[in-house]
PDB file of all heavy atoms in Angstrom:
ATOM      1  N   PRO A1362      -7.905  57.725 -23.116  1.00  0.00           N
ATOM      2  CA  PRO A1362      -7.840  59.031 -22.465  1.00  0.00           C
ATOM      3  C   PRO A1362      -7.736  58.915 -20.946  1.00  0.00           C
ATOM      4  O   PRO A1362      -7.929  57.826 -20.387  1.00  0.00           O
ATOM      5  CB  PRO A1362      -9.163  59.678 -22.871  1.00  0.00           C
ATOM      6  CG  PRO A1362     -10.097  58.513 -23.028  1.00  0.00           C
ATOM      7  CD  PRO A1362      -9.269  57.401 -23.581  1.00  0.00           C
ATOM      8  N   GLY A1369     -12.852  66.087 -25.383  1.00  0.00           N
ATOM      9  CA  GLY A1369     -13.617  66.526 -26.538  1.00  0.00           C
ATOM     10  C   GLY A1369     -14.315  65.409 -27.273  1.00  0.00           C
ATOM     11  O   GLY A1369     -14.503  64.302 -26.767  1.00  0.00           O
ATOM     12  N   THR A1370     -14.678  65.706 -28.514  1.00  0.00           N
ATOM     13  CA  THR A1370     -15.425  64.764 -29.340  1.00  0.00           C
ATOM     14  C   THR A1370     -14.518  63.753 -30.038  1.00  0.00           C
ATOM     15  O   THR A1370     -15.015  62.794 -30.636  1.00  0.00           O
ATOM     16  CB  THR A1370     -16.214  65.521 -30.418  1.00  0.00           C
ATOM     17  OG1 THR A1370     -15.295  66.283 -31.222  1.00  0.00           O
ATOM     18  CG2 THR A1370     -17.228  66.461 -29.779  1.00  0.00           C
ATOM     19  N   ALA A1371     -13.216  63.945 -29.985  1.00  0.00           N
ATOM     20  CA  ALA A1371     -12.293  63.060 -30.710  1.00  0.00           C
ATOM     21  C   ALA A1371     -11.087  62.737 -29.837  1.00  0.00           C
ATOM     22  O   ALA A1371      -9.955  63.095 -30.157  1.00  0.00           O
ATOM     23  CB  ALA A1371     -11.864  63.702 -32.024  1.00  0.00           C
ATOM     24  N   GLU A1372     -11.328  62.051 -28.729  1.00  0.00           N
ATOM     25  CA  GLU A1372     -10.251  61.651 -27.827  1.00  0.00           C
ATOM     26  C   GLU A1372      -9.620  60.341 -28.312  1.00  0.00           C
ATOM     27  O   GLU A1372     -10.314  59.358 -28.556  1.00  0.00           O
ATOM     28  CB  GLU A1372     -10.785  61.467 -26.408  1.00  0.00           C
ATOM     29  CG  GLU A1372     -11.290  62.737 -25.766  1.00  0.00           C
ATOM     30  CD  GLU A1372     -10.184  63.751 -25.510  1.00  0.00           C
ATOM     31  OE1 GLU A1372      -9.036  63.322 -25.233  1.00  0.00           O
ATOM     32  OE2 GLU A1372     -10.471  64.957 -25.589  1.00  0.00           O
ATOM     33  N   THR A1373      -8.298  60.344 -28.465  1.00  0.00           N
ATOM     34  CA  THR A1373      -7.584  59.147 -28.896  1.00  0.00           C
ATOM     35  C   THR A1373      -7.599  58.097 -27.792  1.00  0.00           C
ATOM     36  O   THR A1373      -7.338  58.405 -26.621  1.00  0.00           O
ATOM     37  CB  THR A1373      -6.131  59.493 -29.257  1.00  0.00           C
ATOM     38  OG1 THR A1373      -6.132  60.448 -30.317  1.00  0.00           O
ATOM     39  CG2 THR A1373      -5.361  58.252 -29.687  1.00  0.00           C
ATOM     40  N   VAL A1374      -7.922  56.861 -28.168  1.00  0.00           N
ATOM     41  CA  VAL A1374      -7.914  55.734 -27.234  1.00  0.00           C
ATOM     42  C   VAL A1374      -6.618  54.946 -27.471  1.00  0.00           C
ATOM     43  O   VAL A1374      -6.375  54.458 -28.585  1.00  0.00           O
ATOM     44  CB  VAL A1374      -9.136  54.824 -27.411  1.00  0.00           C
ATOM     45  CG1 VAL A1374      -9.058  53.633 -26.454  1.00  0.00           C
ATOM     46  CG2 VAL A1374     -10.425  55.626 -27.179  1.00  0.00           C
ATOM     47  N   TYR A1393     -12.341  48.201 -28.316  1.00  0.00           N
ATOM     48  CA  TYR A1393     -12.707  48.904 -27.085  1.00  0.00           C
ATOM     49  C   TYR A1393     -14.182  49.273 -27.156  1.00  0.00           C
ATOM     50  O   TYR A1393     -14.796  49.310 -28.239  1.00  0.00           O
ATOM     51  CB  TYR A1393     -11.834  50.146 -26.848  1.00  0.00           C
ATOM     52  CG  TYR A1393     -12.225  51.370 -27.646  1.00  0.00           C
ATOM     53  CD1 TYR A1393     -13.201  52.259 -27.186  1.00  0.00           C
ATOM     54  CD2 TYR A1393     -11.592  51.656 -28.855  1.00  0.00           C
ATOM     55  CE1 TYR A1393     -13.543  53.392 -27.912  1.00  0.00           C
ATOM     56  CE2 TYR A1393     -11.923  52.786 -29.590  1.00  0.00           C
ATOM     57  CZ  TYR A1393     -12.903  53.649 -29.117  1.00  0.00           C
ATOM     58  OH  TYR A1393     -13.251  54.764 -29.839  1.00  0.00           O
ATOM     59  N   ILE A1395     -17.240  51.856 -24.829  1.00  0.00           N
ATOM     60  CA  ILE A1395     -17.454  52.851 -23.779  1.00  0.00           C
ATOM     61  C   ILE A1395     -18.849  52.667 -23.215  1.00  0.00           C
ATOM     62  O   ILE A1395     -19.837  52.602 -23.976  1.00  0.00           O
ATOM     63  CB  ILE A1395     -17.271  54.272 -24.330  1.00  0.00           C
ATOM     64  CG1 ILE A1395     -15.813  54.466 -24.784  1.00  0.00           C
ATOM     65  CG2 ILE A1395     -17.630  55.317 -23.272  1.00  0.00           C
ATOM     66  CD1 ILE A1395     -15.539  55.802 -25.405  1.00  0.00           C
ATOM     67  N   ALA A1421     -10.067  54.987 -34.628  1.00  0.00           N
ATOM     68  CA  ALA A1421     -11.361  55.618 -34.347  1.00  0.00           C
ATOM     69  C   ALA A1421     -11.327  56.244 -32.954  1.00  0.00           C
ATOM     70  O   ALA A1421     -11.056  55.569 -31.959  1.00  0.00           O
ATOM     71  CB  ALA A1421     -12.485  54.586 -34.442  1.00  0.00           C
ATOM     72  N   ALA A1422     -11.590  57.545 -32.874  1.00  0.00           N
ATOM     73  CA  ALA A1422     -11.537  58.269 -31.604  1.00  0.00           C
ATOM     74  C   ALA A1422     -12.837  58.104 -30.826  1.00  0.00           C
ATOM     75  O   ALA A1422     -13.853  57.636 -31.350  1.00  0.00           O
ATOM     76  CB  ALA A1422     -11.252  59.741 -31.853  1.00  0.00           C
ATOM     77  N   ALA A1423     -12.801  58.542 -29.559  1.00  0.00           N
ATOM     78  CA  ALA A1423     -13.962  58.448 -28.674  1.00  0.00           C
ATOM     79  C   ALA A1423     -14.520  59.833 -28.387  1.00  0.00           C
ATOM     80  O   ALA A1423     -13.759  60.801 -28.220  1.00  0.00           O
ATOM     81  CB  ALA A1423     -13.569  57.759 -27.372  1.00  0.00           C
ATOM     82  N   ASN A1424     -15.824  59.930 -28.310  1.00  0.00           N
ATOM     83  CA  ASN A1424     -16.493  61.182 -27.982  1.00  0.00           C
ATOM     84  C   ASN A1424     -16.757  61.222 -26.475  1.00  0.00           C
ATOM     85  O   ASN A1424     -17.650  60.540 -25.976  1.00  0.00           O
ATOM     86  CB  ASN A1424     -17.805  61.298 -28.755  1.00  0.00           C
ATOM     87  CG  ASN A1424     -18.514  62.616 -28.492  1.00  0.00           C
ATOM     88  OD1 ASN A1424     -18.048  63.446 -27.709  1.00  0.00           O
ATOM     89  ND2 ASN A1424     -19.647  62.819 -29.154  1.00  0.00           N
ATOM     90  N   LEU A1425     -15.976  62.047 -25.770  1.00  0.00           N
ATOM     91  CA  LEU A1425     -16.142  62.206 -24.324  1.00  0.00           C
ATOM     92  C   LEU A1425     -16.445  63.666 -23.989  1.00  0.00           C
ATOM     93  O   LEU A1425     -16.075  64.162 -22.924  1.00  0.00           O
ATOM     94  CB  LEU A1425     -14.867  61.752 -23.588  1.00  0.00           C
ATOM     95  CG  LEU A1425     -14.323  60.355 -23.911  1.00  0.00           C
ATOM     96  CD1 LEU A1425     -13.106  60.054 -23.043  1.00  0.00           C
ATOM     97  CD2 LEU A1425     -15.392  59.296 -23.709  1.00  0.00           C
ATOM     98  N   SER A1426     -17.127  64.352 -24.888  1.00  0.00           N
ATOM     99  CA  SER A1426     -17.302  65.794 -24.752  1.00  0.00           C
ATOM    100  C   SER A1426     -18.303  66.195 -23.676  1.00  0.00           C
ATOM    101  O   SER A1426     -18.266  67.331 -23.187  1.00  0.00           O
ATOM    102  CB  SER A1426     -17.736  66.387 -26.093  1.00  0.00           C
ATOM    103  OG  SER A1426     -18.960  65.805 -26.533  1.00  0.00           O
ATOM    104  N   ILE A1433     -14.482  52.404 -19.655  1.00  0.00           N
ATOM    105  CA  ILE A1433     -13.857  51.912 -20.882  1.00  0.00           C
ATOM    106  C   ILE A1433     -13.382  50.476 -20.674  1.00  0.00           C
ATOM    107  O   ILE A1433     -12.728  50.165 -19.671  1.00  0.00           O
ATOM    108  CB  ILE A1433     -12.682  52.814 -21.306  1.00  0.00           C
ATOM    109  CG1 ILE A1433     -13.161  54.259 -21.503  1.00  0.00           C
ATOM    110  CG2 ILE A1433     -12.039  52.294 -22.585  1.00  0.00           C
ATOM    111  CD1 ILE A1433     -12.063  55.225 -21.895  1.00  0.00           C
TER     112      ILE A1433
END
Side-chain angles (χ1 to χ4, degrees):
T1370 59
E1372 295 294 327
T1373 300
V1374 178
Y1393 80 86
I1395 296 177
N1424 182 359
L1425 308 183
S1426 59
I1433 302 179

